[in-house]
Amino acid sequence: MATSLKMDERLKSRVRHLAGERRRSPHWIMLEAIRQYVDREEARESFKQEALASWAAYKETGRHLTGQEVLAWLNTWGTDEERPAPECHA
């Protein structure tokens, strides 16, 4: 898929400068920037969808853990008294 980007001269100059500093091509710099953006946005969307699914499940079942319960469990991580995750309750 051939694609072109239109950038103002200042941004083009910044990309060229960074490419020279990193000993990469401007094309590589632009691809890497796009790749990182897409990865970040996909992760953000996944997090959002997971949160919405969790909220829907909570509204349907009422099952949950309190912040205190989670914190108490997390505080055992890396200790000799490490505990398994607590069970959700209504």
Side-chain angles (χ1 to χ4, degrees), residues 30-60:
M30 290 182 285
L31 278 178
E32 184 62 20
I34 292 167
R35 186 176 300 110
Q36 287 181 21
Y37 175 82
V38 170
D39 287 349
R40 184 178 61 245
E41 292 303 309
E42 285 174 341
R44 182 177 287 154
E45 185 61 27
S46 176
F47 177 79
K48 177 182 154 188
Q49 292 306 317
E50 186 178 330
L52 290 171
S54 294
W55 178 243
Y58 168 74
K59 289 193 305 186
E60 185 177 313

Side-chain angles (χ1 to χ4, degrees), residues 54-72:
S54 294
W55 178 243
Y58 168 74
K59 289 193 305 186
E60 185 177 313
T61 67
R63 295 179 51 79
H64 68 284
L65 291 172
T66 67
Q68 258 184 346
E69 291 166 332
V70 172
L71 188 56

Side-chain angles (χ1 to χ4, degrees), residues 2-41:
T3 303
S4 64
L5 297 172
K6 294 185 180 190
M7 295 184 283
D8 61 50
E9 286 304 317
R10 176 154 165 65
L11 183 55
K12 281 183 194 177
S13 176
R14 291 171 61 201
V15 169
R16 280 193 300 266
H17 176 75
L18 185 59
E21 291 292 319
R22 299 292 183 264
R23 295 190 175 138
R24 297 285 187 169
S25 68
H27 181 259
W28 187 93
I29 296 291
M30 290 182 285
L31 278 178
E32 184 62 20
I34 292 167
R35 186 176 300 110
Q36 287 181 21
Y37 175 82
V38 170
D39 287 349
R40 184 178 61 245
E41 292 303 309

